[in-house]
Amino acid sequence: LPFAVICTCYLLFTITDGALRMIVLLHAYRKSFSAMQVATMFVLYELAGVFTNLAAGVAGAKWGIKLTLVSGLLLQLVTYGLLFGWSDEWSQAKAILYVTGVQLFGGVAKDLTKLGGKTVTKLVTPEEQSTSLFKLVSLLTGWKNSLKGVGYFLGSW
């Protein structure tokens, strides 16, 4: 049961993550931001992933997968909440700074949640079934990529 709950959380998170990206992208488009300005808004999201991946393994080992997963899910909620603060009256420069900073939280959330989603497969698979583990991780990754696409559609709707 814990495996199913964690994987479900991870996969549902992936939908919201894709939707979040589309919401930011489409709102910026509606506000006439250039492609480079929109790309700038996602820089800290991607950089956060690099550093979070480095630290998440240590955090998972020290505090457990459950805490990293729940922290990632809660941080995603914080990200959504902060994006509601994006005011249409702001200058483009102020909006870019604000959204870029908020996206930092989204990047951390993504990788904390990913740690829980992918690590649980290793924890529930016996060592002698490493081929099964590879298949399970491949399946989970495939579902994640598919559901991110679903999130893109939901975010654009």
Side-chain angles (χ1 to χ4, degrees):
L1 183 65
F3 174 75
V5 170
I6 290 172
C7 286
T8 301
C9 285
Y10 175 55
L11 293 173
L12 290 174
F13 173 89
T14 300
I15 293 172
T16 64
D17 189 52
L20 182 71
R21 290 184 196 200
M22 285 305 294
I23 290 167
V24 169
L25 174 72
L26 293 173
H27 188 71
Y29 173 78
R30 196 184 77 185
K31 294 294 174 188
S32 301
F33 286 81
S34 71
M36 185 56 79
Q37 289 171 318
V38 174
T40 300
M41 292 177 180
F42 289 95
V43 166
L44 286 182
Y45 176 91
E46 298 301 335
L47 282 176
V50 172
F51 294 106
T52 303
N53 273 322
L54 292 173
V58 175
K62 187 172 183 175
W63 296 303
I65 299 305
K66 181 180 175 183
L67 184 64
T68 56
L69 178 69
V70 171
S71 297
L73 295 172
L74 290 173
L75 204 49
Q76 181 76 337
L77 292 174
V78 168
T79 302
Y80 268 110
L82 288 171
L83 281 174
F84 276 105
W86 182 357
S87 175
D88 288 340
E89 286 83 41
W90 290 348
S91 68
Q92 283 191 335
K94 184 174 182 179
I96 290 168
L97 286 172
Y98 182 80
V99 173
T100 302
V102 170
Q103 290 286 63
L104 173 75
F105 296 116
V108 172
K110 174 191 67 155
D111 285 299
L112 287 175
T113 305
K114 181 172 65 173
L115 172 74
K118 289 193 175 179
T119 303
V120 71
T121 57
K122 182 161 178 55
L123 296 176
V124 299
T125 305
E127 193 65 39
E128 63 275 0
Q129 293 182 339
S130 61
T131 303
S132 297
L133 172 65
F134 178 74
K135 289 177 183 176
L136 197 55
V137 170
S138 297
L139 180 67
L140 185 61
T141 302
W143 272 102
K144 176 198 72 110
N145 293 336
S146 298
L147 290 174
K148 187 170 283 191
V150 170
Y152 290 153
F153 284 111
L154 290 175
S156 65
W157 184 50

